[in-house]
Amino acid sequence: MKTIAILTSGGDAPGMNAAIRAVARTAIFNGLRVMGIRFGYDGLINGDIYEMNVSSVADIIQRGGTILGSARSEDFQTEKGQKQAFQILKDFGIDGLVVLGGDGSFKGAKVLHDMGVKVIGIPCTIDNDMGYTDSTIGFYTAVNTVTEAVSKLRDTSSSHGRANIVEVMGRRCGDLALYAGVSSGAESIVIPEKPLDLESIMNKIKRGRKRGKLHHIIVMAEGVGRPYVLKEKIEEITQVDTKVTILGHVQRGGSPSPHDRLLGSEMGNRAVKLLIDGQSGLAMAYKAGKIIDVSLDDAIETPHILNEELYDMAQEISI
Ligand code: F6P
């Protein structure tokens, strides 16, 4: 192992830069050359690659996004694109690759592993939809961002006696809505893993009004869809003025939390050590407070499971 490369793929996540920094610095510390690939698998196919040094990753641990740029590559889905990527890795003399991203990025990493490239994956997504790891890099920063936004909405919601539906990201996974909903003290949490209980939402609003409560926050995962339909229903049944806020890509940015910086640093460091050991086809995971590795197959195939205890608890403490 003489030269390794890093790429970031899919939706960016706060903490990716901490992982890039750790990969680059660990590689250099251990006498390896390190290359940065710009814009994910697209950049790999196009040979958009540059050599990194210690300074290339200076002053980035606190920055959201990814200094390498990211993309969801359509070309890499094709056999032609995959063969081209393989050839580029050979042409640049890259012996090992670290892929930072979510599910789709790991599937790409697995394709390269099967072609004989030494690859390690690092889980980065604000969705936390990868069941094999307790948390993905970026998730807790996004939970913070949503929690702060909901606190601000609560201020104005209380002033006007309104209800607020806050739509949060997460694709088909409700984790961001659930964890941020609990953290922000939301009255209702609506996630795709559970049926929409309209009666419970309406009853909570009515009960709250009776005891003089001036706000009602509903955190809704984007995977459920149709927040404006819910708004109409609430206004029709409870007569409470209801606003919809779609937080959107704000949730993907911002300075990473210490947890995500730690995950990025530890996973990046370990990924390079695995490559130096000649290992491949592995994904880094955070399990019960420890950084471990599992096969890329397990990482891709392990379904995400809802934290039922947390969901049930949220019902009890948001009456
Ligand atoms: O996977 C991360 C994520 O932010 C999802 O929560 C969201 O559905 C999607 O990416 C948005 O993708 P894009 O940035 O391509 O619009």
Side-chain angles (χ1 to χ4, degrees), residues 11-12 72 125-127 129 169-171 176 222 249 252:
D12 61 353
R72 302 186 198 279
T125 164
I126 64 160
D127 299 339
D129 56 353
M169 281 185 165
R171 221 173 266 276
L176 189 49
E222 65 176 351
H249 287 80
R252 285 245 295 268

